[in-house]
């Protein structure tokens, strides 16, 4: 287990966006300037944009607004547990490893994920402090069959949350991405354990680009954007997160009580591809048509030459066919 304490102390010092000399940082941490320089290199690998000016020291290109567990607990008191891990492999994995000990609504957040993951085995690039990496555990008594609908309602909750902070034009993309101006803003990864016929244990992972530095996104393979782009000035990060967690909990409770029924209209209003030409990638096959929203099972309704047909299943990807 690597000890990150000195690096996290360095980050807290640099978070103000001011210059800090190597000597002052060395004195604070009881180490040489050379040792500080090595730690700074690691922080740069974590995606922090730290630069050095001769005679002035180290500085972050932008101040950091760090997550604060006690503040989050105050702002979201109805959640059973909120854990902030500055550095983690994956917030989803953390909760999956502890499913037996958690209550519905337990949350894990990180500033940096070493092995953040996306759907289809892809990596989720997770630079330190600039985005949100958040997972919530939920026990779904209705079982695995209800999980597909759940991931759609999470998309609705996220898009409505963006709108609440001025993000007009933030949209959902079936089954579970957020888009702004046809670029990806956030991704949702729902992972589950459980037996058929029993309650499903879900971990809902959300990766939301807030202010992703361009250099950190070099490995991102599709067009992407930031919430800052969609909303302009954002409120303090802890307020933003607490509002998201509160909304998500309310949304999941509502889904448990009513199923998808209350969400179809909300989804269709927010649907990025409603009435637009799309293609569905289903294994090696492609089906082209016009997207006509979702039905009460959460299936994508696709209009082809033969009529409007429902498409459902985790193996289907949707692409624009403009
Ligand atoms: C996608 O492929 O679009 C889904 C991305 C989900 C990323 C989030 S970040 C928090 C949580 N932890 C992970 O390892 N992945 C999810």
């Amino acid at each position: 287990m690597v000890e990150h304490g000195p690096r996290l102390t360095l980050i807290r010092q640099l978070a103000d966006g001011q210059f800090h000399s190597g000597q002052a940082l060395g004195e604070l941490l009881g180490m040489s300037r050379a040792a500080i320089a090595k730690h700074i290199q690691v922080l740069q690998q974590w995606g922090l944009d730290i630069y050095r000016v001769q005679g002035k020291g180290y500085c972050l290109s932008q101040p950091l607004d760090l997550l604060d567990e006690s503040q989050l607990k105050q702002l979201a008191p109805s959640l059973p547990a909120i854990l902030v891990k500055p550095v983690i492999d994956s917030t989803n994995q953390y909760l999956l490893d502890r499913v037996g000990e958690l209550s519905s609504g337990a949350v894990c957040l990180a500033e940096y994920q070493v092995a953040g993951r996306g759907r289809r085995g892809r990596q989720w690039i997770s630079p330190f402090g600039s985005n949100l990496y958040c997972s919530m555990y939920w026990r779904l008594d209705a079982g695995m069959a209800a999980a597909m609908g759940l991931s759609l309602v999470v998309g609705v909750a996220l898009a409505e949350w963006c709108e609440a902070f001025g993000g007009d034009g933030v949209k959902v993309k079936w089954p579970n991405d957020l888009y702004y101006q046809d670029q990806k803003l956030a991704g949702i990864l729902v992972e589950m354990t459980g037996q058929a016929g029993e309650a499903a244990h879900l971990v809902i992972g959300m990766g939301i680009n807030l202010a992703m530095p361009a250099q950190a996104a070099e490995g991102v393979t599709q067009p992407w954007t930031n919430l800052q782009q969609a909303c302009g000035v954002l409120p303090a990060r802890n307020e933003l997160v607490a509002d998201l967690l509160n909304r998500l909990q309310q949304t999941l409770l509502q889904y448990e009580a009513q199923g998808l029924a209350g969400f179809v209209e909300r989804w269709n209003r927010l649907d990025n591809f409603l009435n637009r030409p799309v293609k569905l990638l289903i294994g090696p096959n492609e089906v082209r048509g016009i997207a006509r929203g979702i039905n009460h099972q959460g299936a994508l309704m696709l209009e082809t030459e033969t009529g409007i047909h429902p498409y459902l299943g985790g193996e289907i990807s949707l692409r624009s066919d403009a």
Side-chain angles (χ1 to χ4, degrees):
M1 177 93 173
V2 187
E3 171 55 68
H4 291 306
R7 290 171 190 159
L8 298 176
T9 306
L10 275 179
I11 291 172
R12 281 191 288 271
Q13 287 299 303
L14 292 166
D16 60 7
Q18 305 293 312
F19 280 101
H20 296 266
S21 71
Q23 182 162 347
L25 293 171
E27 279 166 17
L28 180 77
L29 286 162
M31 57 179 69
S32 68
R33 282 191 293 176
I36 293 289
K38 280 199 182 138
H39 282 305
I40 294 282
Q41 266 178 16
V42 173
L43 301 187
Q44 288 165 332
Q45 286 158 16
W46 288 0
L48 284 165
D49 188 10
I50 302 171
Y51 62 98
R52 184 171 158 255
V53 172
Q54 193 74 35
K56 288 175 112 178
Y58 297 100
C59 184
L60 268 168
S61 62
Q62 302 225 19
L64 280 178
D65 182 12
L66 295 169
L67 296 172
D68 178 337
E69 197 175 281
S70 56
Q71 205 183 331
L72 285 170
K73 284 178 177 162
Q74 275 176 14
L75 293 169
S78 62
L79 292 172
I82 301 181
L83 194 76
V84 174
K85 289 280 203 185
V87 177
I88 204 168
D89 52 353
S90 150
T91 54
N92 264 30
Q93 191 58 50
Y94 184 88
L95 293 185
L96 280 169
D97 289 343
R98 289 159 182 81
V99 154
E101 309 153 25
L102 303 171
S103 308
S104 272
V107 168
C108 176
L109 290 143
E111 296 286 17
Y112 174 63
Q113 295 186 117
V114 181
R117 57 183 184 240
R119 291 197 304 278
R120 296 169 193 282
R122 285 190 287 250
Q123 181 195 8
W124 188 258
I125 294 174
S126 309
F128 194 105
S130 41
N131 299 324
L132 291 180
Y133 318 116
C134 174
S135 300
M136 183 183 276
Y137 165 73
W138 202 265
R139 178 193 152 109
L140 202 54
D141 288 326
M144 294 190 182
M148 174 71 191
L150 178 136
S151 77
L152 297 178
V153 309
V154 172
V156 169
L158 278 183
E160 290 176 349
W161 166 73
C162 295
E163 285 188 321
F165 292 101
D168 287 341
V170 172
K171 300 284 180 186
V172 288
K173 171 181 175 266
W174 189 89
N176 38 22
D177 282 335
L178 247 61
Y179 266 47
Y180 177 66
Q181 297 182 338
D182 280 339
Q183 295 166 321
K184 184 157 169 167
L185 180 66
I188 300 163
L189 174 67
V190 179
E191 298 184 281
M192 63 182 144
T193 62
Q195 305 285 330
E198 291 179 9
H201 300 278
L202 305 185
V203 173
I204 303 157
M206 294 154 286
I208 304 156
N209 300 336
L210 291 188
M212 171 112 98
Q215 82 208 38
E218 272 162 16
V220 179
T221 52
Q222 53 187 321
W224 61 275
T225 189
N226 278 317
L227 191 62
Q228 216 171 49
Q229 197 76 30
C231 300
V233 180
L234 290 172
R237 205 149 154 262
N238 289 292
E239 283 170 35
L240 202 61
V241 172
D243 191 84
L244 170 66
L245 299 178
N246 288 327
R247 270 170 196 274
L248 195 59
Q249 187 189 31
Q250 290 311 311
T251 303
L252 295 172
L253 290 170
Q254 193 186 340
Y255 175 68
E256 277 190 331
Q258 301 171 9
L260 256 189
F263 288 95
V264 174
E265 301 244 307
R266 279 159 79 182
W267 173 280
N268 287 339
R269 180 182 74 83
L270 292 162
D271 188 345
N272 192 52
F273 288 102
L274 187 70
N275 301 328
R276 289 173 65 182
V278 297
K279 53 187 176 195
L280 299 186
L281 312 183
I282 311 168
N285 302 317
E286 258 185 37
V287 188
R288 298 185 130 90
I290 307 290
R292 298 293 186 203
I294 59 166
N295 70 6
H296 283 75
Q297 273 80 48
L300 180 90
M301 303 304 289
L302 188 74
E303 183 173 345
T304 66
E305 285 163 1
T306 57
I308 300 182
H309 306 286
Y311 285 85
L312 195 59
E315 295 313 307
I316 306 174
S317 290
L318 182 149
R319 299 273 185 279
S320 167
D321 194 22

